[in-house]
């Protein structure tokens, strides 16, 4: 019979679905769109941008001349001449300044054609057929013209202005036929883009194979791992994300192998747990025996006094009332014991969930003490509290009240003639300890651990006297274990202190 892995078809990836193909196609598409966008953008806006730049350059030349003339009308300062020469060289312009007498004050470029253009523009010869001029901008300071020389096919921006020293300025800058230049440029860049796309596509195919091959190796490794073959390892030398993925798969392989080993170990542990079932049965038998023993005395008393009443053993009303009180008292003790057993059973077997909340432990303690005012007055006990005004802790308030109640009842029932009971609340490094001390005889050291055991009683006669069942401290221990917190008992020379701890911080 073939295994599931043998029945599966080998999965192949079509070339159009491979990462290498998709990555190459994406980059080529982005490059192609970028070239088309650049061509369209250049056709629409580059000519305008070029024109604006040239016009701005001519105006900058004019502004420099206007600034120089205002402080050096005769162009006699060498620094001014260097500044004019620099800006004219930078913009590729030529210029001439001629005073009213026709004397050339400054020239940069060929003087003869510049003087000729000055005559044409200043003395009205600019409308001859040799040049075709179009006014681009005209104001009180200058006229900016776009001029075409039909014979030489040259294009110019020319600026004519009368400077503050009454001399005439003519600035000329040559411009290209931009539409023709743009067409040539576009053809060049389209050819260059096609060549680049072809070269880059080839490079991408070669480069992406360096990454797709390790990815295929990783896919093969994952398939072998799915067949529980953990001996195969990734041995690539990549220092990037592929290397991280390969290392992660190697680590996962080791962990899976470890987990399977742990599962086998868990099976062995399960066998041990089954063996422990016998011990649990023994504990159950012991529990039933303890409960039977505890129920035997009150049940016998109730039965005896009830039979006495039913047989009319005594007609004295006071005796009848005494019999009835004993029956009620023993019934209450039975009812209390059953309730405590149910509570303890729920806590120990996880039926009760701890509802953690933040509350003031001092307020809870004072409230519980106030409720026991009649009991403390009856026993002539004054419970002193050593605690701050407020102390917030984290815990299940309902069950923490149960813990404090058991400690307080225990202290009242076991206090000696000194009648000293002291409740203390102290916080240290985020841990709050609540302790209840009562004066009296210390507990024997060999009995300290047993007091938390169900039905264990140190002084059975006294416990019977106040109606104790030996379950209260077991409930305390179960509640604190559920909170994952500590509780305990400390012997002092003059008494016994019971304590528990809770977190003050979240």
């Amino acid at each position: 019979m073939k295994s599931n892995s043998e029945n599966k078809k080998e999965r192949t990836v079509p070339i159009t679905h491979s990462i290498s193909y998709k990555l190459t196609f994406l980059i080529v598409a982005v490059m192609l769109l970028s070239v088309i966008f650049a061509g369209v953008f250049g056709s629409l806006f580059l000519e305008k941008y070029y024109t604006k730049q040239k016009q701005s350059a001519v105006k900058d030349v004019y502004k420099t001349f206007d600034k120089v003339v205002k402080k050096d009308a005769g162009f006699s300062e060498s620094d001014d001449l260097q500044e004019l020469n620099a800006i004219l060289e930078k913009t590729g312009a030529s210029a001439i300044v001629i005073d009213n007498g026709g004397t050339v004050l400054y020239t940069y470029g060929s003087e003869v054609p510049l003087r000729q253009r000055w005559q044409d523009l200043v003395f009205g010869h600019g409308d001859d057929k040799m040049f075709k001029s179009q006014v681009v901008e005209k104001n009180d300071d200058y006229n900016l013209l776009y001029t075409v020389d039909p014979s030489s096919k040259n294009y110019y921006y020319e600026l004519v202005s009368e400077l503050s020293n009454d001399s005439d300025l003519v600035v000329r800058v040559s411009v290209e036929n931009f539409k023709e230049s743009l067409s040539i440029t576009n053809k060049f860049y389209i050819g260059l883009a096609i060549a680049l796309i072809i070269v880059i596509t080839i490079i991408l195919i070669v480069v992406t194979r360096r990454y797709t091959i390790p990815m295929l190796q990783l896919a093969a490794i994952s398939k072998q791992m799915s067949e529980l073959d953990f001996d195969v390892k990734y041995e690539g030398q990549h220092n990037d994300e592929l290397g991280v993925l390969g290392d992660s798969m190697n680590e996962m392989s080791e962990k899976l192998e470890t987990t399977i080993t742990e599962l086998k170990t868990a099976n062995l542990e399960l066998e041990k747990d089954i063996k422990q079932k016998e011990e649990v049965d023994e504990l159950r038998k012991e529990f039933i025996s303890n409960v039977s023993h505890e129920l035997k005395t009150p049940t016998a008393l109730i039965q005896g006094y009830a039979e006495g009443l039913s047989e009319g053993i005594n007609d004295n009303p006071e005796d009848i009332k005494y019999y009835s009180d004993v029956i009620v008292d023993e019934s209450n003790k039975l009812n209390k014991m059953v309730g405590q057993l149910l509570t303890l059973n729920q806590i120990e077997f996880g039926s009760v969930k701890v509802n953690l909340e933040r509350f003031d432990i001092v307020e809870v303690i004072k409230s519980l003490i106030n409720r026991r005012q009649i009991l403390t007055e009856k026993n002539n006990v004054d419970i002193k509290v050593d605690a701050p005004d407020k102390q917030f802790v984290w815990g299940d308030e309902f069950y923490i009240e149960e813990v404090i109640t058991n400690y307080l009842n225990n202290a009242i029932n076991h206090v000696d003639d000194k009648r000293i009971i002291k409740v203390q609340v102290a916080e240290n490094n985020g841990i709050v300890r609540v302790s209840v001390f009562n004066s009296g005889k210390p507990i024997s050291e060999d009995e300290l651990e047993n007091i938390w055991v169900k039905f264990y009683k140190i002084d059975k006669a006294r416990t019977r006297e106040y109606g104790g069942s030996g379950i209260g401290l077991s409930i305390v221990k179960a509640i604190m274990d559920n909170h994952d917190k500590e509780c305990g008992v400390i012997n002092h020379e003059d008494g016994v202190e019971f304590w528990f701890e809770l977190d003050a911080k979240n």
Side-chain angles (χ1 to χ4, degrees):
M1 183 176 179
K2 291 184 177 181
S3 64
N4 291 335
S5 61
E6 291 174 339
N7 290 329
K8 291 180 181 177
K9 290 184 178 179
E10 189 71 23
R11 182 177 181 183
T12 58
V13 180
I15 184 65
T16 54
H17 292 176
S18 70
I19 294 177
S20 177
Y21 174 85
K22 291 179 179 178
L23 184 61
T24 303
F25 177 79
L26 178 63
I27 295 178
V28 170
V30 170
M31 290 179 61
L32 188 59
L33 288 174
S34 299
V35 170
I36 293 172
F37 176 78
V40 172
F41 184 86
S43 299
L44 295 176
F45 301 105
L46 195 55
E47 182 178 2
K48 294 180 180 179
Y49 176 77
Y50 177 81
T51 300
K52 288 291 184 183
Q53 291 296 312
K54 285 295 182 180
Q55 292 176 3
S56 297
V58 174
K59 294 176 184 178
D60 288 341
V61 172
Y62 160 73
K63 291 176 183 177
T64 304
F65 270 98
D66 185 59
K67 181 185 72 172
V68 170
V69 165
K70 286 179 180 178
K71 64 178 181 177
D72 184 13
F75 298 96
S76 58
E77 297 292 333
S78 60
D79 290 343
D80 295 332
L81 293 177
Q82 288 179 0
E83 182 180 359
L84 292 172
N85 292 343
I87 191 169
L88 288 166
E89 182 178 356
K90 178 181 177 182
T91 56
S94 57
I96 189 169
V97 179
I98 303 176
D99 63 12
N100 292 335
T103 302
V104 176
L105 301 179
Y106 174 85
T107 183
Y108 186 87
S110 182
E111 183 176 337
V112 174
L114 286 173
R115 178 184 281 274
Q116 181 63 43
R117 283 303 292 160
W118 169 72
Q119 292 176 350
D120 293 340
L121 294 169
V122 173
F123 296 107
H125 299 294
D127 294 328
D128 63 328
K129 296 180 179 180
M130 184 176 179
F131 291 97
K132 294 181 180 179
S133 299
Q134 178 183 354
V135 177
V136 176
E137 184 179 349
K138 185 175 182 179
N139 54 48
D140 295 337
D141 297 324
Y142 58 82
N143 290 343
L144 180 61
L145 309 173
Y146 180 68
T147 304
V148 180
D149 185 350
S151 60
S152 63
K153 301 296 182 179
N154 289 330
Y155 300 83
Y156 304 95
Y157 275 116
E158 295 178 326
L159 185 143
V160 183
S161 174
E162 183 176 349
L163 300 175
S164 58
N165 63 351
D166 295 331
S167 59
D168 295 323
L169 167 67
V170 176
V171 180
R172 169 184 276 193
V173 60
S174 176
V175 296
E176 302 174 6
N177 185 344
F178 195 74
K179 290 183 179 179
E180 292 182 4
S181 300
L182 185 61
S183 176
I184 295 170
T185 303
N186 285 340
K187 289 178 182 179
F188 171 78
Y189 280 111
I190 288 173
L192 179 61
I194 293 172
L196 284 174
I197 289 173
I198 294 172
V199 172
I200 291 175
T201 301
I202 296 172
I203 294 173
L204 282 173
I205 293 173
V206 174
V207 171
T208 52
R209 280 179 61 82
R210 182 174 178 267
Y211 294 95
T212 53
I213 290 175
M215 292 177 70
L216 292 173
Q217 292 175 350
L218 290 170
I221 291 172
S222 64
K223 182 179 178 182
Q224 288 180 267
M225 288 173 58
S226 68
E227 297 172 354
L228 302 182
D229 179 6
F230 302 115
D231 293 331
V232 62
K233 301 294 182 184
Y234 175 75
E235 298 177 351
Q237 301 299 321
H238 284 265
N239 295 322
D240 50 17
E241 288 83 352
L242 281 174
V244 174
L245 179 59
D247 293 340
S248 298
M249 290 191 70
N250 289 341
E251 184 179 353
M252 182 174 64
S253 176
E254 293 174 0
K255 288 185 177 180
L256 283 173
E257 187 173 7
T258 303
T259 302
I260 291 175
T261 303
E262 290 174 352
L263 284 173
K264 293 179 180 179
T265 306
N267 286 334
L268 296 176
E269 293 294 331
L270 182 59
E271 294 178 6
K272 294 180 181 178
D273 291 340
I274 293 173
K275 292 179 181 178
Q276 289 175 354
K277 181 178 181 299
E278 296 178 1
E279 299 177 9
V280 174
D281 288 339
E282 289 297 323
L283 291 174
R284 179 176 57 81
K285 292 177 183 178
E286 182 182 352
F287 176 76
I288 293 173
S289 175
N290 288 331
V291 172
S292 301
H293 178 76
E294 291 296 328
L295 294 177
K296 183 177 179 181
T297 301
T299 303
L301 285 171
I302 292 172
Q303 182 180 357
Y305 282 96
E307 288 176 352
L309 287 175
S310 65
E311 293 174 1
I313 199 168
N314 197 324
D315 294 333
N316 187 344
E318 291 183 1
D319 292 337
I320 293 174
K321 184 178 183 305
Y322 173 75
Y323 278 43
S324 299
D325 289 343
V326 170
I327 292 172
V328 171
D329 185 51
E330 294 300 323
S331 298
N332 288 335
K333 290 178 182 178
L334 279 175
N335 187 49
K336 178 182 177 183
M337 183 188 302
V338 171
Q340 288 180 323
L341 282 172
L342 289 173
T343 300
L344 181 59
N345 183 69
Q346 289 176 340
I347 296 173
E348 286 185 335
F349 286 92
S351 300
V352 174
K353 292 184 179 179
V354 175
N355 180 27
L356 283 180
E357 56 185 333
R358 186 170 179 264
F359 64 94
D360 185 1
I361 191 73
V362 177
E363 181 181 350
V364 171
I365 291 171
K366 290 180 178 178
S367 173
L368 291 173
I369 292 174
N370 289 336
R371 292 182 211 170
R372 279 154 185 76
Q373 185 175 358
I374 295 175
L375 183 62
T376 54
E377 289 177 355
K378 178 182 176 181
N379 289 274
N380 193 26
V381 175
D382 182 21
I383 302 177
K384 299 187 179 298
V385 178
D386 180 10
D389 292 336
K390 288 182 179 294
Q391 179 61 66
F392 288 94
V393 295
W394 286 91
D396 189 315
E397 185 174 353
F398 176 79
Y399 285 104
I400 296 302
E401 281 190 8
E402 183 74 15
V403 172
I404 300 170
T405 298
N406 275 289
Y407 278 179
L408 288 174
N409 290 342
N410 195 59
I412 293 172
N413 291 325
H414 290 85
V415 69
D416 64 3
D417 295 337
K418 294 180 181 179
R419 303 294 176 185
I420 299 174
I421 295 179
K422 182 178 180 182
V423 180
Q424 187 174 19
V425 179
E427 187 265 342
N428 184 25
N429 293 328
I431 301 296
V432 174
R433 172 172 285 201
V434 179
S435 60
V436 179
F437 170 84
N438 68 273
S439 59
K441 183 180 178 181
I443 300 172
S444 175
E445 290 297 327
D446 56 356
E447 291 183 318
L448 281 176
E449 292 299 323
N450 295 326
I451 62 174
W452 309 102
V453 178
K454 292 185 285 288
F455 301 113
Y456 187 82
K457 302 172 184 176
I458 298 174
D459 186 347
K460 295 183 179 180
R462 185 168 186 178
T463 302
R464 178 72 187 168
E465 180 183 342
Y466 65 78
S469 61
I471 303 174
L473 291 180
S474 300
I475 292 176
V476 169
K477 186 70 169 65
I479 290 174
M480 296 315 299
D481 287 345
N482 249 17
H483 279 73
D484 197 21
K485 294 298 173 188
E486 299 292 331
C487 64
V489 58
I490 302 173
N491 271 327
H492 296 278
E493 291 183 1
D494 56 344
V496 181
E497 175 188 350
F498 285 88
W499 60 269
F500 69 90
E501 293 178 340
L502 291 172
D503 287 327
K505 296 181 179 178
N506 189 354

